[in-house]
Amino acid sequence: LPSIVAVSKTFPMSEILPLINHGHIDFGENKVQESVEKWTSIKNDFNHIKLHMVGKLQTNKVKYVVPLFDYIHSLDNLKLAEKISNEQTKKKKKLKIFIQVNIGDEPQKSGVSVDQVENFYVKCTQELDLDIIGIMCLPPKNQNVENYFFEMKSLSKKINVQQLSMGMSDDYLKAAINGSTYLRIGTKIFGNRN
């Protein structure tokens, strides 16, 4: 069964604690500053919690992400990969990382293009010593998402990674059927954001 990453961005800790107390482990955030303020002491108190960076990550924020987070779902370029590699060496900590794939080849979206994923994976794992566990996508809206999920599954086999981060509140069932191992769900758990 896929793991559920409860995407808690913009929600206060008072709304997240019931899930923590219920035993939920995986939480997702997309703003570094908010995460540091919200999670630093909580993660000291509940050290089994896994924190997932699910939003776009700027290189200048990596130094805050490595100590606090356990997973990065949004590695989308070489400069960022190099920065993560350097910070991990400094902090003596390795995160589990997904390569973000621009599966719909959309100019407005981040991500590595499908034909570049294999080379990028090799560079990250062999030259930069990153622990790339899988690939992530944000498929195009209003299209048949299953085709994109299927393509992601084939791509994961091609580069031989086990994990697939795909599926959000509106398409998680289709993602799960198509082999997703991490579903990033916010609205369906916490309700609509303001």
Side-chain angles (χ1 to χ4, degrees):
L1 274 173
S3 299
I4 292 176
V5 178
V7 179
S8 47
K9 62 182 186 186
T10 75
F11 288 98
M13 195 44 76
S14 57
E15 293 189 38
I16 300 168
L17 272 170
L19 263 79
I20 294 174
N21 291 328
H22 190 70
H24 194 77
I25 290 171
D26 295 286
F27 292 88
E29 292 284 341
N30 73 336
K31 295 268 193 295
V32 176
Q33 190 60 45
E34 180 190 342
S35 308
V36 170
E37 287 163 15
K38 240 161 73 172
W39 287 98
T40 302
S41 65
I42 292 286
K43 277 199 80 183
N44 290 333
D45 297 342
F46 300 90
N47 58 9
H48 63 291
I49 282 178
K50 302 290 181 224
L51 205 52
H52 298 250
M53 169 45 89
V54 296
K56 184 158 180 61
L57 179 53
Q58 310 290 349
T59 48
N60 63 345
K61 300 279 174 64
V62 170
K63 58 180 176 287
Y64 306 110
V65 166
V66 171
L68 182 64
F69 283 81
D70 304 280
Y71 292 78
I72 295 172
H73 289 245
S74 47
L75 171 58
D76 60 2
N77 67 75
L78 190 57
K79 202 174 135 202
L80 181 58
E82 288 165 348
K83 188 74 181 162
I84 294 168
S85 178
N86 290 339
E87 280 303 317
Q88 289 193 147
T89 306
K90 270 188 222 163
K91 305 272 192 327
K92 297 185 173 49
K93 178 185 173 191
K94 281 188 100 165
L95 281 68
K96 295 182 182 333
I97 301 172
F98 293 86
I99 294 169
Q100 181 170 343
V101 181
N102 189 344
I103 197 69
D105 198 22
E106 296 173 278
Q108 78 279 17
K109 278 193 187 158
S110 306
V112 178
S113 62
V114 172
D115 57 352
Q116 291 298 312
V117 170
E118 208 165 354
N119 288 342
F120 187 67
Y121 172 76
V122 168
K123 212 170 181 62
C124 287
T125 50
Q126 296 183 7
E127 292 176 31
L128 299 173
D129 195 31
L130 298 181
D131 184 11
I132 306 288
I133 61 165
I135 52 178
M136 180 274 252
C137 73
L138 299 157
K141 289 254 181 283
N142 312 322
Q143 288 192 28
N144 185 350
V145 289
E146 272 126 319
N147 297 340
Y148 295 106
F149 291 156
F150 182 78
E151 192 179 347
M152 285 287 287
K153 195 173 182 179
S154 316
L155 194 55
S156 71
K157 291 198 172 91
K158 186 176 168 187
I159 62 171
N160 197 21
V161 291
Q162 304 305 311
Q163 309 300 329
L164 277 171
S165 169
M166 55 188 200
M168 303 199 295
S169 287
D170 50 358
D171 58 12
Y172 69 94
L173 290 171
K174 289 173 180 170
I177 290 164
N178 283 282
S180 176
T181 59
Y182 285 87
L183 304 169
R184 308 182 305 275
I185 301 179
T187 312
K188 279 270 197 294
I189 294 174
F190 294 103
N192 289 318
R193 289 185 189 86
N194 299 335

